[in-house]
Structure formats: C-alpha cells, structure tokens
C-alpha cells in the first residue's frame, strides 16, 4: 500500500519546482473553433466533424490518439498535444521552446494543417473569444467523462457556465520561474496586469447572433461561471507564496474525481477534506492532486510553470504577439522590474481587480483606469515588453502587430462590431475572424 498523501507533500512538491534561468522556455496554448459557412457548429459526430479532425491530425502527424471508450478525444506527440474543449473547440497545447520563432513556426504549421484537413469540407476555422452565431444550447458536448460531470456542476454555481464551456476560446502561455521568490514576482505582475489582457485582446462582442455591448463577452462570461475557481484568487492577492497557493487549491471545491478510473462527481467536497477525512474510505493520490489542479481556472495559474490566461482567441499574428509580450515582460530582468512598477500603479489607480477586469472586458482599449485610457497603459506595457525581448536577445518585431493595435486604440472586437453593423451575415463576419 502506498503512503498516505499529506499537505506537507503537496507543499514540498511546489518548493521543489523551479528551473535554472538558462533553461527557461515558453509554450503557447491556442483554442480555435470550427463552424459551417452559415455559422452553425461542426459537431463531434458529423461525418466530417470534430472526431474526423482529431483522427486526421493524428494520421498526418503520427501522434498517438487517446480515447474515452470508442471516442478519440486527444492526440499527442513532439512535446505537444491536441485536446478538445467541451463544445468541440480544438486546442493546441504547444511544446515548450527556447526561442519565440520556434513557437511561432509550430502554431503556423498547425494552422496550415487544420486548413489542409478542412479543404473540400464546409469548415470555417475562426479565432475569436466566442463562437458568434449558434445558440449555446444547440452546441453539443463532446463525449468526455470530465465534461459530463462539469456540465451538471458548473451551472449550479454560475448562470453562464455552459456558454463558457461550449462557446469560448482563448490564447494562453506558460512560463518558467527559478524559485518561489521569482514565481511570486511574476505572479504579481501577471495577476495585476491581467485586466489589460482582457482589454488589449478583447475579441468577442457577439453571442447567439447579436451584439452584446461588450468587447469581450467571453471576459464577462468568466465572471458568471464559478467564483470558487475563476478570476483573481483572494488567497494570494496579499502576495504569492507556495503555501498560500496550495491552501487555495486545497479549499477549492472539487467538481470530479476518478475512483477506480471512473469519472464521478465530487459534489463540492474540498481536496482538503478528502485528504484529511477520505471519501468512502479512499484517500487521494498524487495523480488525484494533479487532476484537481486542472479544475481551477483563475486568470493566472501556477503549477510547474506559470500559466497566463485571460485573453480572447485572436488571429495568429496577435496570438504569437501575446506569447512574445509576456516573454518580454517576465524573462527580461529589467523589464520585469519595470512591469512590476506598472502593475503597482495599475493596482493603485482605482477599483478592484474584478472592476478593472470588467472595464477591460466591456470597453476594451477604450476602458479607463485611474483617468487614463487602457490604450495608454497598454502602450507602456508593450514598450516594456519590447525592451525585455531585446534584453534577452529575442525578436521584438513579433510585437509589431500588437503595437499597431495598441497605437490605434482599437481592440480586435471593434473590427467585428464595424463589420457587423454593415452586414451581420456569416458570409461577411467569418472572414473577419478567420483563423
């Protein structure tokens, strides 16, 4: 019998994490939706549906398929993976790279493969934060046991949970840290500047065929999903430590667990309770702890790496620029110091993390913080990131598409809104958000 897991083990694991600076890497994560030319969702079970796409990816790459029962739901290889979000959104979790140009080449190659797979089919790949046309209720869940539990649990805790699960797409990136103190510095910067992510990359103004009045309705949806596991964790706002983070995870209610390898509802029992009291006489393992960590969705998430979240899915050049932005901010020593000053100024400007997030999601780069337009804050941010990329010998030109956006003061959502007001048909809108 294996030794019981204890809180001290969990904290010791975090204290053991950390990567020497000369081996820091960056990895991108990109969620994309595929729809029909009339805006309807491509279903998992369609003859040329999501299952077909996963099988084609595996056939073309040689990656190994993972199945749930008879259903292929994932494939992985070359340090990367393709997974499915609940509504059939296709996510590339990229390999970690030393150089941003390698990261950019990976996602461009993946994009080209998706287009090749879809050639001759009624597929339109889109990159925006929210699938614009179908009713959320008309999008069917993909056949994954995890989602069977989530689709019952989350709506009890947030009225827009199904919209989050089946309709939203984002871009994220993962970064290394050297030790707890370095993690704390980077976490603070990422969490404090998170509302600027929402503003800069706001790209989801349409839901179910209507303008919502939000630049990032996806950002709004996340505030109406489950406050226990989303947003800006109060437990670490006073300052990140591994101990505070572990306690946050321990006290987050569990949605699911896998007794005997079967997905089962945990009915909101906390991991701490399971650890200390057991469930039906069973106690958690390291694998259970790892699984639980995947069920919390704050704007910044810490595991072996720091995951920066909170940005709507955007076109490929902006998605690469997102990864470059945070690489410059977090990996350039002087840039990280300057970003910390900017983060502290933003926190001191006015309101709370939540209020700043809502403002950025509502108005994009036209939001205001402390009397300044978000676009002005974003220009400062991009300038710091550019210096950071130069500091570490990276190509600061990867930021150019983002710098142009920020200089114009126009979040990508405004392009969709302008096109929508001229002609809201899929024939007009889908090319605007084409991946």
């Amino acid at each position: 019998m294996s030794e019981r897991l204890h809180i001290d083990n969990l904290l010791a694991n975090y204290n053991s994490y950390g990567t020497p600076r000369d081996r820091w890497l960056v990895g991108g994560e990109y969620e994309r939706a595929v729809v029909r030319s009339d805006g309807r969702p491509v279903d998992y079970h369609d003859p040329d549906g999501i299952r077909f796409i996963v099988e084609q990816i595996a056939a073309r790459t040689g990656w190994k398929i993972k199945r749930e029962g008879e259903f292929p739901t994932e494939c992985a290889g070359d340090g990367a993976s393709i997974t499915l979000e609940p509504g059939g959104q296709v996510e590339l979790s990229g390999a970690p790279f030393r150089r941003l140009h390698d990261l950019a080449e990976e996602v461009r190659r993946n994009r080209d493969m998706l287009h090749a797979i879809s050639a001759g089919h009624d597929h339109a790949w889109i990159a925006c934060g929210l699938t614009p046309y179908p009713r959320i209720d008309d999008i069917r869940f993909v056949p994954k046991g995890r989602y069977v539990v989530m689709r019952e649990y989350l709506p009890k805790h947030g009225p827009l949970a199904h919209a989050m699960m089946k309709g939203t797409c984002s871009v994220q990136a993962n970064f290394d840290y050297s030790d707890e103190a370095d993690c704390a510095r980077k976490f603070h910067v990422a969490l404090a500047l998170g509302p600027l992510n929402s503003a800069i990359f706001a790209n989801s103004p349409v839901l179910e065929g209507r303008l919502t009045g939000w630049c990032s309705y996806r950002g709004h949806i996340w505030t109406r999903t489950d406050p226990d596991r989303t947003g800006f964790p109060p437990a670490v706002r006073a300052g990140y430590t591994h101990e505070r983070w572990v306690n946050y995870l321990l006290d987050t209610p569990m949605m699911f667990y896998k007794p005997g390898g079967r997905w089962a509802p945990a009915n909101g029992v906390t991991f701490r309770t399971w650890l200390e009291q057991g469930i039906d006489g069973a106690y958690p393992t390291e694998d259970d702890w790892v699984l639980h960590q995947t069920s919390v969705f704050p704007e910044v998430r810490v595991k072996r790496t720091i995951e920066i979240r909170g940005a709507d899915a955007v076109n490929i050049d902006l998605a690469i620029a997102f990864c470059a932005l945070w690489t410059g901010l977090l990996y350039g020593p002087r840039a990280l110091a300057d970003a910390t000053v900017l983060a502290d100024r933003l926190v001191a400007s006015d309101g709370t993390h939540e209020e700043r997030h809502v403002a950025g999601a509502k108005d994009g780069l036209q939001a205001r913080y402390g009397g300044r337009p978000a676009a002005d804050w974003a220009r400062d941010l991009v300038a710091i990131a550019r210096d950071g990329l130069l500091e570490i010998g990276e190509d600061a030109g990867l930021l150019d598409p983002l710098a142009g956006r920020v200089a114009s003061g126009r979040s990508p959502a405004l392009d969709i809104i302008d096109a929508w007001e001229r002609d809201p048909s899929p024939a007009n809108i889908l090319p605007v958000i084409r991946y």
Side-chain angles (χ1 to χ4, degrees), residues 350-361:
D350 54 35
T352 64
H353 284 294
E354 288 83 2
E355 289 167 342
R356 288 187 290 274
H357 168 78
V358 167

Side-chain angles (χ1 to χ4, degrees), residues 13-50:
N13 284 345
Y14 267 91
N15 285 327
S16 73
Y17 297 160
T19 302
R21 180 180 175 81
D22 62 354
R23 298 212 305 268
W24 284 353
L25 307 172
V26 56
E29 300 180 23
Y30 319 89
E31 298 170 353
R32 292 73 47 96
V34 58
V35 299
R36 303 297 182 188
S37 57
D38 62 1
R40 289 178 299 116
V42 174
D43 189 77
Y44 180 91
H45 300 283
D46 289 343
D48 63 348
I50 304 301

Side-chain angles (χ1 to χ4, degrees), residues 206-246:
V206 180
L207 171 69
E208 297 185 341
R210 60 177 177 81
L211 290 174
T212 62
W214 293 74
C215 285
S216 175
Y217 198 73
R218 172 191 164 275
H220 172 63
I221 284 171
W222 273 102
T223 69
R224 299 293 185 272
T225 293
D226 180 357
D228 289 330
R229 67 189 69 250
T230 63
F232 303 88
V236 289
R237 290 187 197 178
Y240 177 93
T241 66
H242 288 332
E243 183 175 12
R244 287 173 180 165
W245 184 255
V246 167

Side-chain angles (χ1 to χ4, degrees), residues 176-219:
D176 287 316
Y177 52 90
S178 57
D179 53 25
E180 183 179 29
D182 186 46
C183 182
R185 285 190 293 269
K186 291 172 176 173
F187 184 94
H188 168 65
V189 166
L191 197 71
L193 296 176
L196 287 180
N197 265 342
S198 300
I200 294 169
F201 298 96
N203 193 36
S204 52
V206 180
L207 171 69
E208 297 185 341
R210 60 177 177 81
L211 290 174
T212 62
W214 293 74
C215 285
S216 175
Y217 198 73
R218 172 191 164 275

Side-chain angles (χ1 to χ4, degrees), residues 324-330 335 339 379-391 396 399 402:
L325 175 76
W326 285 100
T327 300
L329 293 172
L330 298 184
R379 274 191 282 274
D380 293 345
L381 191 69
V382 172
I384 293 169
R386 189 179 294 278
D387 289 344
L389 291 176
L390 294 172
E391 189 179 358
L399 288 175
L402 178 58

Side-chain angles (χ1 to χ4, degrees), residues 65-184:
I65 283 184
K66 180 179 179 180
R67 301 177 185 272
E68 292 210 17
E70 66 176 285
F71 302 114
T73 57
E74 181 178 341
C75 58
D78 301 326
S81 66
I82 293 288
T83 55
L84 301 180
E85 294 300 302
Q89 308 96 312
V90 178
E91 178 177 7
L92 168 65
S93 294
F97 290 104
R98 176 71 65 87
R99 307 299 300 181
L100 284 170
H101 273 292
D102 294 327
L103 176 147
E105 173 61 24
E106 175 194 48
V107 67
R108 288 192 175 113
R109 189 169 58 246
N110 178 262
R111 186 267 312 271
D112 292 345
M113 178 178 61
L114 295 179
H115 285 170
I117 289 170
S118 291
H121 299 277
D122 184 17
H123 289 173
W125 288 94
I126 57 175
C128 62
L130 184 59
T131 304
Y133 289 101
R135 294 175 63 249
I136 295 299
D137 287 347
D138 291 340
I139 302 174
R140 295 205 295 172
F141 284 97
V142 301
K144 293 181 69 170
R146 172 189 180 105
Y147 300 150
V148 171
V149 179
M150 289 175 64
R151 74 191 189 197
E152 298 299 323
Y153 178 90
L154 284 176
K156 298 174 183 175
H157 300 268
L160 296 180
H162 278 191
M164 179 279 291
M165 294 179 71
K166 296 194 288 182
T168 62
C169 289
S170 69
V171 57
Q172 302 158 21
N174 294 277
F175 298 93
D176 287 316
Y177 52 90
S178 57
D179 53 25
E180 183 179 29
D182 186 46
C183 182

